[in-house]
Amino acid sequence: MSATDSLRAAIRDVVDFPKPGIVFKDITPILADGKLFRESVTLLCETAGGARIDKVVGIDARGFIFASAVADRLGVGFVPVRKKGKLPWKTRQTAYALEYGESIVELHEDAVQPGESVLLVDDLLATGGTAAAAVKLLDELGANLVGISVLIELSFLAGRNKLIPHPVHSILTY
Ligand code: AMP
């Protein structure tokens, strides 16, 4: 089996979680398997295509798991985009709509310096609202967004359209 087939086979579909009608892609079986977790991080790192990255930005909460591992592998810093009320310092915030609900995300205003090259990483791209909110905050700070990399893309929700003109790379597409 190829690496991506093994990752795909490990993802568990949980029907009607957290709300009726949602098929939740549970990535915890990947995290629990050292080989699969390492492979997922390797593939996410490869999406950067050798471009210089100064910081990897991860999205609360499952995005942190992959983004921090990618940052460590690339030998660069990690920056969290968090749900409202979690970051202790001065923040910028923006509201957005989720596949299931609504939320506000925040970024420390000194987390990224103008012109720094950043890779945005999340576990899953659904409607794209969350990633678009993170992109907006990074744009406001003057970051050079190299790309948005996700393990899973639910392509039927067309989330990448919300991220134009930024390059979106997904390892597994549904
Ligand atoms: P969205 O803003 O609609 O692109 O939603 C993306 C965020 O919600 C990601 O951070 C995911 O972790 C989570 N998410 C949305 N839909 C799902 C799903 N079907 N399975 C697992 N996570 C999801």
Side-chain angles (χ1 to χ4, degrees), residues 22-25 59-60 62 96-100 122-131 154:
I22 303 291
V23 179
F24 192 87
K25 297 288 185 195
I59 301 180
D60 206 344
R62 285 174 300 277
Y96 68 103
L98 273 175
E99 189 187 7
Y100 41 82
D122 202 0
D123 67 324
L124 183 143
L125 181 70
T127 65
T130 315
L154 304 184

Side-chain angles (χ1 to χ4, degrees), residues 36-91:
L36 290 180
F37 185 34
R38 178 167 293 171
E39 192 60 43
S40 65
V41 173
T42 299
L43 291 169
L44 286 167
C45 286
E46 284 172 7
T47 63
R52 200 197 81 216
I53 306 291
D54 297 313
K55 281 178 181 145
V56 177
V57 177
I59 301 180
D60 206 344
R62 285 174 300 277
F64 292 168
I65 301 164
F66 293 101
S68 61
V70 168
D72 180 60
R73 187 82 65 85
L74 296 177
V76 302
F78 165 78
V79 168
V81 169
R82 295 215 64 179
K83 306 245 170 73
K84 184 181 160 63
K86 303 287 187 185
L87 287 172
W89 185 239
K90 293 174 192 166
T91 64

